[in-house]
Amino acid sequence: MKLVTAVIKPFKLDDVRESLSEIGVQGITVTEVKGFGRQKGHTELYRGAEYVVDFLPKVKLETVVADDRVEQVIEAITNAANTGKIGDGKIFVSPIEQIIRIRTGETGAEAV
Amino acid sequence: MKLVTAVIKPFKLDDVRESLSEIGVQGITVTEVKGFGRQKGHTELYRGAEYVVDFLPKVKLETVVADDRVEQVIEAITNAANTGKIGDGKIFVSPIEQIIRIRTGETGAEAV
Amino acid sequence: MKLVTAVIKPFKLDDVRESLSEIGVQGITVTEVKGFGRQKGHTELYRGAEYVVDFLPKVKLETVVADDRVEQVIEAITNAANTGKIGDGKIFVSPIEQIIRIRTGETGAEAV
Amino acid sequence: METPIFELQYALDTFYFLVCGALVMWMAAGFAMLEAGLVRAKNTTEILTKNIALFAVACIMYMAVGYELMYDKGLGMFLSGIMGDGVAGAAAEEKASYAPSADFFFQVVFVATAMSIVSGAVAERMKLWSFLLFAVVLTAVIYPVEGSWTWGGMDVFGLYNLGDLGFSDFAGSGIVHMAGAAAALAGVLLLGARKGKYNAQGQVVAIPGANLPMATLGTFILWMGWFGFNGGSVLATASVDSANSVAVVFMNTNMAAAGGLVGALLAARLLYGKADLTMVLNGVLAGLVVITAEPSTPTPLLATLFGLVAGVLVVFSIIGLDKLKIDDPVGAISVHGVVGLLGLLLVPVTNDNASLLGQIIGAVTIFTWVFVSSLAVWALIKATLGIRVSAAEEYQGGDLSECGMEAYPEFMSQ
Amino acid sequence: METPIFELQYALDTFYFLVCGALVMWMAAGFAMLEAGLVRAKNTTEILTKNIALFAVACIMYMAVGYELMYDKGLGMFLSGIMGDGVAGAAAEEKASYAPSADFFFQVVFVATAMSIVSGAVAERMKLWSFLLFAVVLTAVIYPVEGSWTWGGMDVFGLYNLGDLGFSDFAGSGIVHMAGAAAALAGVLLLGARKGKYNAQGQVVAIPGANLPMATLGTFILWMGWFGFNGGSVLATASVDSANSVAVVFMNTNMAAAGGLVGALLAARLLYGKADLTMVLNGVLAGLVVITAEPSTPTPLLATLFGLVAGVLVVFSIIGLDKLKIDDPVGAISVHGVVGLLGLLLVPVTNDNASLLGQIIGAVTIFTWVFVSSLAVWALIKATLGIRVSAAEEYQGGDLSECGMEAYPEFMSQ
Amino acid sequence: METPIFELQYALDTFYFLVCGALVMWMAAGFAMLEAGLVRAKNTTEILTKNIALFAVACIMYMAVGYELMYDKGLGMFLSGIMGDGVAGAAAEEKASYAPSADFFFQVVFVATAMSIVSGAVAERMKLWSFLLFAVVLTAVIYPVEGSWTWGGMDVFGLYNLGDLGFSDFAGSGIVHMAGAAAALAGVLLLGARKGKYNAQGQVVAIPGANLPMATLGTFILWMGWFGFNGGSVLATASVDSANSVAVVFMNTNMAAAGGLVGALLAARLLYGKADLTMVLNGVLAGLVVITAEPSTPTPLLATLFGLVAGVLVVFSIIGLDKLKIDDPVGAISVHGVVGLLGLLLVPVTNDNASLLGQIIGAVTIFTWVFVSSLAVWALIKATLGIRVSAAEEYQGGDLSECGMEAYPEFMSQ
Ligand SMILES: Nc1ncnc2c1ncn2[C@@H]1O[C@H](COP(=O)(O)OP(=O)(O)O)[C@@H](O)[C@H]1O
Ligand SMILES: Nc1ncnc2c1ncn2[C@@H]1O[C@H](COP(=O)(O)OP(=O)(O)O)[C@@H](O)[C@H]1O
Ligand SMILES: Nc1ncnc2c1ncn2[C@@H]1O[C@H](COP(=O)(O)OP(=O)(O)O)[C@@H](O)[C@H]1O
């Protein structure tokens, strides 16, 4: 079981979600985040004073999938989220040791 | 050390928090998230046009605990968060290699 | 590759971000969270009735770095976020197995 | 035919009524904003819908039924005869020195005020359509009937006459405000408290309002509109005497509001150690309600003191009702009911034409009629359509279940 | 020199104009709040800027050019002669029974109303400066020209005279509201829909407004301000006849708004099963627009019914325009254009001095002139400055790209 | 006893005062909304509490002490004699042609305006109770004393008389606005800047306001209320001459606001390349303040130009004060102080009864008195209760520390 975490541009969320459901991923958890990276923020003026918006709005998407699906998921996300411009984001994969569905108590692959 | 992550229904947060503190869990970090899963969103009408609210508000709860407490924690969460209805959410367990308390610099079990 | 997660006091975010960029960390993802821990919330009165604000606003900061930089990152965060008062927060380190830059498809160390 | 002087008096009095009426209409916006600020975000669209819709219902029902019932002017079906002029008298005999339609316009906005009081008290759990159905009955019948006994001068069920007993209520502390609160109380008793308002240990749990700037704006709007409410109730301005009276009413209305604010601010400060803005806002309204029964006779100092007492009282009343588990999200029953009663009882202090006994009988009459008839109507609606949303809908909020749209759809909520 | 009676009439009429004018000025706030509540958070600062700035542009251009063009009073460059009194007549001959500057004040706020209608329809995608440039032309020339044919009494290009043909538009259902909508429609056609409003499958996608309490407040403000809009259009109040007329206008304006609300509420309930607050707000405005063409002759019942019909019509019109992919975020074209036309056509029902033919010719004349000239101006601006923000700016929102600041910078959005 | 004509004049003038007074009262809501929109979310409840509470304090203190101090009418303790009529004269001798309580009502709302100016400048860091204590002193003594020298006609400490020197301030650019700004400046100097406003490198850091629709609404409210502020300052309307004057004042007030808006919009556009809405709002207010000293003599064109200059000036003044590290979150010192002074100096351009020297002496007198006495009072409060919240409280926000409740408790903030 792996946790695939992707930090993407917010307006790509719908596309990514669709391509994930096309390949059969059923569960996703999404969080609004702010990103700092190579892509820089912008400076605004407010009443003559500078106002640096140095973070960028991003969306973090987490999905736990079986080990053998990881590559497919990465590909789906990469294809859907890619704009070719700086700030497209990252995908991280990390291990999950256990997974439980609260409603039924099912565990492991059944629970995904 | 393990990280137990639970995605639950928002109105169950208070119950879960209470049962966790009953079994002695001291630290929890909570995030507002949106969930996509088996439970479906709903369609609203706004000025005659459809308006799909396809994500559901969920709460993500993260707590790092000693390995031997994981089962107990899972049980506490499952019992408190279960409503028996679709969308009750998931629990994920993943490894944590190190933990530091910023204030004191303590590490490991002391730091939890 | 490791994921370093720090839960800190919100007004320390700028300091932590600066000391991380001083040591060359380029990418950070930040989330607004609520914390429950040793530090207690406060009770307010609203129209004569009690109103317990039992969570505290915290900021969760995540950065994925090469294994050999973990210690340095922990130190930078600890120094910048420490106020010596209860509620300063925690740092967790966990394993990351893979990392991909969406824009270029680069993986591993290149992608950080 | 009329003398030029008369023409001018007629014109000035009519214009004065219209300006005051527009100010009272504006109070509907005040109630809407106050209530929208004091409920939770998830019930905001719904309370806005109730507030604006009840205004329309009140206007239509009062035109169709209520005005004739209350004043018996012989204006015919749907006031078809109201477009003549006051000089000629509408359906003969009774002559007015201003336009009849200006009188209707000024009266109709009062009805809406009474109904606005109800919406706040039953907020966050009452069904929209059941509420509007009640509004139809209150504005068509319940309010006009008690209005006919007071401002209409008719006997109470042919038994006794409040005016003869020395009852006096200048602009409606009792007739409008306490009446609205009585209807609200009846509704709240049948409806029960919002889920979560009182916890398992029986303690009161705070449910903070979502948008205090809105609530403050609403209070300012009401403060402004009240100049029309009380000032217009002098019913004439085109002479030295009546002009003086209108001016005194404006001044005293303002001073009572100021007094009410200070009273509530200090009471909250002493009780809680903090300046509770929502109590301050209720204090302003308490000051306004208390002076409404008689704004023309107190000195400005007395008006301030009456307001002050009302401001302190409202704080204790709100806490007290909460102890009794009467859940009133905006404090409407305390502000309009408890303080409205106080207003009535204070009239004889400065107005010799009113007697304490008359005030008590009047208050009891109004309260009993409105409370009992409202209870009957609420009970009937409860038995048929139901008055309370389901638990799931209450949890989700009225915005989605009743209106299908959120008030602040883009903002993340905690 | 003047008799005391005349002095008083003059003073009362002037004061009445000023009060009504202040109420109409207040409508600018209503439009600003309504539109700020119905756009997305990211375009809020920008729509606020447009709304408040257009008011200033309208005032300045109408003073500089428009007023003289419309009424030909001979007041000279920049109305330098307007500070005399109406008794003496401004530049002789024409005498008014109230202060000329009060007349200007009352007229100028109408121009701003017409322009406010445009801002809502083109919201969320039009460039700020191009919009303001258009405002300059509309308020200086386009509106005053059609105003001169109607309220100004002049011949249409020397060809025919609308008044002689039996055209009557009391307070401007056509002259102000439909005219504004015509200019808006021309702009929307050249501008196109907001990105994402119609999806690949050709379906309409809802784009909910960010702040419904603001939108509701805006509607209440407009409702209140409309008493000045229609009430002031009687143009005199200092006699029994005119006072009665003003009173009837206030009453009917209110009843039509109430009727419009109920019409839209029921239509939305039947169509969607929910009480769509935004439709309810549009219903109120529809009721107000429909009665504007003739608020002085219908009975209150008829006014309510006219409003009711308008409230139902506006719901269908909004849905219909959406089907035609005419994207109007606030429903301005339906409320002011479609219902404005209905208002004109209903005049002959209660006013014998108006003929249906005259109404139709007048409506066609106004619409054609405003639509065609606006289209030309929009096209010219499009070809030079451009009228639409870039796709990236539209995605990011006008607040940052045009104004450099967010409306709600501290709140997280979904 | 009085002639019917006189009765009508008396009635019309009284009504006019009351309507104008209600509009000025409404300005209190404008200041509250403007300031609530321009501070951060965490200080919103607190600034609302300050704004509404100061209004009550002003009303009470001016009734108790200020009005008599300023006008010496012999109305007795707490104005107990004010309920008579103006015809008879309050305490004999001085007779007015309108109700004395209408005069008080109109005057009292001016006091509140002066104090409202202060709240904005000291926002986000001043203790609530210290602020209210200062409000007591300003409205009871500081303002009435300078008012007695100007509108009260008394000698300045028995030394010289401003009226005799050719000082003229129609509605209070200096007496109300610059005075308020002087008190604010004294407070800000003792209080210091908000933490984080100027960074370690000495640069100005922007602290954006949390809710721009609220700020815009506040500006619209002020714009509307200002018609009462300036229009009512003609002090009579019941004759051709005074009616004309009131009408000109309304027109010019509106034109100056429009000019101010355009001036600030263009200045911000040229300086920053963006349409800074907050500057636009300040521009409107600058236009209103500048014309307040003399709205009855300029032509509409000149009024527009005066506004335009004020609108440009206010932008530079705000930037300039920031450079001096005088931290004024809402720009009150620039809008009311700098532009108020400009307004005074422009009076002689159109009003021959005013002399530039008189204006300068008047401005210096008012500023010196208010600034010095305020400084003394602020210093005294600082030495005793303290005027600034603790650093921790400032970080957390005044809403929790002073009022115990958040303004937007359900919304997540960034
Ligand atoms: N090492 C990292 N750890 C955590 N988050 C990261 C890391 N690097 C980048 N991110 C996240 O990814 C986003 C995009 O990264 P950025 O460097 O701006 O561009 P790119 O993805 O094109 O390399 C950042 O805003 C941040 O949220
Ligand atoms: N594989 C997954 N990875 C991450 N989050 C998931 C996953 N599956 C479910 N979730 C989260 O759990 C929530 C509940 O899941 P859902 O499938 O709707 O119902 P149930 O928990 O009853 O199976 C989702 O809304 C989502 O936030
Ligand atoms: N075991 C844990 N798992 C997850 N989050 C934790 C844990 N312990 C603490 N935290 C987070 O760290 C924050 C600070 O912890 P707290 O116990 O209040 O003080 P301290 O950091 O000084 O020990 C908490 O509010 C919570 O968000």
Side-chain angles (χ1 to χ4, degrees), chain A residues 3 26-30 62-65 99 101-103 111-112, chain B residues 7 33-39 56 58 85-90 92:
Chain A
L3 167 67
Q26 293 239 13
I28 310 176
T29 298
V30 170
E62 291 168 304
T63 183
V64 174
V65 294
I99 163 162
R101 165 173 286 125
I102 293 175
R103 174 164 45 103
V112 185
Chain B
V7 179
V33 298
K34 308 175 198 173
F36 299 88
R38 279 179 184 71
Q39 185 191 6
L56 293 156
K58 301 274 170 191
K85 299 221 188 89
I86 198 162
D88 274 355
K90 304 277 153 78
F92 308 122

Side-chain angles (χ1 to χ4, degrees), chain D residues 8 31 42 87 90 97 107 147 159 182 197 226 238 247 263 273 290 321 329 337 340-342 373 387-388 403 407:
Chain D
L8 273 165
F31 282 111
K42 66 182 177 181
V87 183
S97 55
Q107 297 288 339
L159 298 173
K197 175 68 193 176
W226 226 286
V290 85
L321 285 183
L341 177 63
L342 176 66
S373 58
I387 56 176
R388 185 158 184 150
C403 303

Side-chain angles (χ1 to χ4, degrees), chain D residues 41 212 240 244 274 413-414, chain F residues 7 10 83 85 400 407 409-410:
Chain D
L212 296 194
V240 167
N244 279 326
K274 301 250 167 137
S413 64
Q414 297 188 328
Chain F
E7 295 248 348
Y10 186 97
M83 296 171 64
D85 66 56
L400 285 180
E410 293 186 47

